[in-house]
Amino acid sequence: MRTNRKIAVALVATVLAGAAGGGVAQASPTTSGSAAPSACRPANHTAEITEAPSSAGHRHYRVTLTAPSGYESCELAGSPTDVRFSNQGSDSGITAGRYGGQGAVVTFGPGHPMHFDIQVPNNGSGTAADEASFTLQAPGGEIPGTSFAEGGLNVAAGTLIGPVQSGA
């Protein structure tokens, strides 16, 4: 299933690149009114989970989102919501809260990756996961659809999601 999402994103990027080269306009709504589709839409970006440095009492993981060329930049804000974790397609039963200031706005798109933090209590227990699903937030509300990030992590009750930040 995860491989199919990667293939779909690659196919969409290829089609967009071919259509742009052929002079065909793209008719998808974006945040700026441009003809290019928004990088914030779940099908138009990829996300990867990597381990990050630990802090006192917590393990941290970084979720980095990138968008290929051919998409329009957009604005994101706050922590993603509706975060769920799964391992080999089975839901972990762990949901996540939010932490940190939710008002900062980040520009995301081709050449402008962004990331957010997953903070997990280091209490000796945990559940293995290889995927996180989440809903991105724009300054005016949520981005429709569910985004997915892949990568190994351990989650536990009390897991929190930090706000989006610029950079990889």
Side-chain angles (χ1 to χ4, degrees), residues 107-126:
T107 298
F108 170 63
H112 300 283
M114 56 124 290
H115 69 275
F116 61 88
D117 179 54
I118 300 174
Q119 176 182 283
V120 182
N122 193 6
N123 57 13
S125 65

Side-chain angles (χ1 to χ4, degrees), residues 31 38 40-42 74-76 135-138 141-146:
T31 57
S38 173
C40 285
R41 291 183 171 240
C74 52
E75 292 183 330
L76 296 171
T135 302
L136 294 170
Q137 302 297 307
E142 73 178 29
I143 306 289
T146 302

Side-chain angles (χ1 to χ4, degrees), residues 16 27 33 63 80 85 101 112 121 124 147 161:
L16 286 173
V63 178
F85 303 97
H112 300 283
S147 294
I161 307 300

Side-chain angles (χ1 to χ4, degrees), residues 7-82:
I7 291 169
V9 169
L11 287 173
V12 168
T14 302
V15 168
L16 286 173
V24 177
Q26 301 296 314
S28 295
T30 65
T31 57
S32 68
S34 164
S38 173
C40 285
R41 291 183 171 240
N44 301 345
H45 58 258
T46 59
E48 180 182 16
I49 302 168
T50 56
E51 197 167 337
S54 296
S55 65
H58 296 96
R59 292 184 310 272
H60 291 269
Y61 300 91
R62 178 177 276 202
V63 178
T64 302
L65 276 73
T66 57
S69 61
Y71 293 101
E72 181 72 23
S73 292
C74 52
E75 292 183 330
L76 296 171
S79 299
T81 59
D82 301 323

